[in-house]
Amino acid sequence: MKNIYIIVLSGLLLNACNDEILDVIPQDQLSDATVWSDENTADLFLNDIYANLPDGNDWYDPFENYSDNSMCGYGWTTSRGLEREGTYTAAGNYPEGSSGLRLWWDSNYGYIRRCNIFITNVEKSDLPEDYKRVRIGEARYLRAYFYHILWMSYGGLPIITEPLNRLTQGDDIFKPRATAEETARFIIGECALAADELNVSSEPGRITKGAALTLKGWMELYDASALLNPDNEPARWAQAAETYKKVMDLGVYRLYPDYGILFLPEGNANDEGIMYRQYYPGTAQLGGRESALMSTPYVGNDAHTSWGAVGPTQDLVDSYCMANGRPVDDPESGYDPQNPYANRERRFYESIVYDGSYWYNDTIYTRLGVGSLNELDLSDAGDATNTGYNLRKRMNPNIQLGAANWDGYTSSQHYYYFRYAEVLLGYAEARNEAAGPDPSVYAAINQVRERNPSNPYLPPLREGLSQSEMRTEIRRERRVELAFEDKRRWDIVRWKAAEELYSRGLHAMRIEEIDGKLHYTVIPATGGNRKFNWYNYWFPVPQQVLDRNEVIRAQNGGPDNWKNGQNPGYD
């Protein structure tokens, strides 16, 4: 969002120096008449909405830790407490406080209100029609995006598309929850409208037609999955595949050839990013802090360089294939459990810091008994990994780490909300569920596996897979390709797989030298026990929402089986 921030700063400077404006309106605000009569001032309002998109590069307990892919290196976080025990309550805490995804009900409805204000005022303004069409499309998309976060979190929602005013409308501002299905249909419809209003290309950081179609496809994929489609209706999968195919047919997106560089500043200007948050390095609040919060905690003479907030699990590590494209549990893979890091696929080496690997000008040791502060933390005593692994993907090795930069916002790599690899994997999943593993399914997933035609990451999938076998491969690819992009928990929730996966607990790699030889043993991770209750597929509606909205409290039963407006299991 670099360009957007520049626009905001320039606008503020302009307003501060323009005597004519200051003579007419209060110096600390713009009047409605001024905001909606000029493109630049209207853009200031819209840019402020953009600035409230989730910030996955700036949190000490990212949402990936709320899945089976990783766990936080220190035990006081929400992911190690409420998520581990499944003890969310209407009056309790939620992941939004530290995860960066901002799942708050009230905050997201605040952003939705801003979108409603923008759309309402721009529609009735005298601004140029081309401006109105595109910017309303952006605001419509942003409103749908905030709604979709709430929908994935809570299910059915009050659908509000106009600014509400308690002073003039009284209790009429309190709306009932639409069902989860009605809410999905609304968000999908808004994405379709936005796609019609938006252009294929735009300024960097702004929403495009491809972004609107991608969110529509993701909504349809989620809605077609087991959580909301228990009868597995093929038509719902087919609709998601059709939408993803429209994104593919735009012809403007392609995979970046180097997966490791894609997530660093050097890879920012690429054709794979569909929707992303941009950063401006070296300026307070405009850069990201992910490298100083999430990466290996001790490097170079035992300097404390990061919080170590993300420890990849052994369960995720086992999902990375061998270089020959075979999964590690395939008898023909060549995997050696006593030499587990040899001949693995390239995404493993570009995503994971493991024992003996090189990171930030240092060899990192997580094995026991060598005196390293990065040694596997069996007692859960500090920031060192509880799994035997640290995070490499998205971590910038070219910035100054350490205590002075933990709050310095020194990183400038994009945070991707959607990128083209996810479109290909979404198409492959939807098409496979709708029609089986036809050639288009193989073509989509093999593009992701290959990534770089001149230097392929993996060989193509073997032919002749059944629909079930292809489903397994697609889910493995999603887990690996999208790891640490805050996608995994949503996937295992929509597949209704969280109860079974969490029951296994999270695992670590214990490495110790015995008789001069390293021995590798997979063990339960300290603090890695997980519980997921049948009702945790939705978060509880916050108590303050129920307390102030009698209309929601009066809702009982129905297709979502609410009790006094609350999701099942939380009464």
Side-chain angles (χ1 to χ4, degrees), residues 154-175:
Y154 305 105
L157 304 166
I159 297 173
I160 302 168
T161 58
E162 61 183 6
L164 301 178
N165 188 323
R166 182 67 183 271
L167 294 177
T168 59
Q169 295 174 278
D171 288 346
D172 287 344
I173 69 170
F174 296 113
K175 307 296 182 182

Side-chain angles (χ1 to χ4, degrees), residues 63-70 78-88 95 313 315 479 488-493 496-507 527-534 536-537 539:
F63 201 58
E64 198 79 354
N65 290 342
Y66 296 76
S67 75
D68 56 348
N69 272 1
S70 62
T78 306
S79 69
R80 294 281 301 277
L82 296 179
E83 177 68 19
R84 184 177 71 182
E85 300 297 330
T87 53
Y88 299 108
T313 62
D315 314 271
R479 184 175 194 178
R488 175 66 176 176
R489 191 183 192 276
W490 300 128
D491 277 344
I492 62 178
V493 163
K496 290 209 74 176
E499 290 170 84
E500 192 274 327
L501 290 173
Y502 274 31
S503 69
R504 303 176 188 176
L506 307 182
H507 294 85
N529 55 303
R530 288 288 173 103
K531 182 178 181 180
F532 196 97
N533 301 297
W534 63 268
N536 291 142
Y537 287 101
F539 293 117

Side-chain angles (χ1 to χ4, degrees), residues 41 72 75 91 109 131 189 222 229 350 420 507 521 530 551:
T41 52
C72 197
Y109 268 106
Y131 173 89
Y222 207 107
N229 185 19
E350 294 173 351
Y420 190 51
H507 294 85
T521 307
R530 288 288 173 103
V551 178

Side-chain angles (χ1 to χ4, degrees), residues 148 151-152 155-156 179-189 214-241 243-244 426 429-430 433 490-491 493-496 538 560:
H148 111 282
W151 174 74
M152 292 189 299
T179 66
E181 185 59 28
E182 290 168 343
T183 305
R185 299 275 74 79
F186 164 73
I187 300 171
I188 290 168
T214 301
L215 178 57
K216 181 175 184 285
W218 167 240
M219 283 291 304
E220 291 165 343
L221 190 74
Y222 207 107
D223 189 53
S225 302
L227 179 66
L228 292 158
N229 185 19
D231 296 330
N232 200 29
E233 299 172 19
R236 293 165 79 164
W237 291 106
Q239 180 57 57
T243 300
Y244 278 127
E429 178 181 353
E433 297 298 336
W490 300 128
D491 277 344
V493 163
R494 68 181 175 90
W495 294 330
K496 290 209 74 176
W538 306 108
D560 297 328

Side-chain angles (χ1 to χ4, degrees), residues 464-534:
L465 296 177
S466 67
Q467 184 184 52
S468 177
E469 290 171 331
M470 179 60 84
R471 180 183 301 121
T472 298
E473 294 298 336
I474 290 169
R475 291 186 177 186
R476 185 199 321 279
E477 284 294 325
R478 279 193 70 91
R479 184 175 194 178
V480 168
E481 175 68 25
L482 303 177
F484 315 115
E485 297 179 53
D486 301 322
K487 304 287 184 178
R488 175 66 176 176
R489 191 183 192 276
W490 300 128
D491 277 344
I492 62 178
V493 163
R494 68 181 175 90
W495 294 330
K496 290 209 74 176
E499 290 170 84
E500 192 274 327
L501 290 173
Y502 274 31
S503 69
R504 303 176 188 176
L506 307 182
H507 294 85
M509 178 64 80
R510 178 188 179 114
I511 309 170
E512 52 193 335
E513 186 173 327
I514 303 176
D515 297 330
K517 183 178 180 180
L518 292 179
H519 286 255
Y520 297 80
T521 307
V522 175
I523 62 172
T526 302
N529 55 303
R530 288 288 173 103
K531 182 178 181 180
F532 196 97
N533 301 297
W534 63 268

Side-chain angles (χ1 to χ4, degrees), residues 270-298:
N270 68 77
D271 294 329
E272 184 166 347
I274 296 175
M275 179 190 174
Y276 47 85
R277 187 183 183 97
Q278 297 186 110
Y279 294 84
Y280 189 72
T283 303
Q285 305 297 324
L286 299 188
R289 296 186 296 173
E290 67 283 359
S291 297
L293 297 179
M294 304 177 197
S295 63
T296 304
Y298 302 99

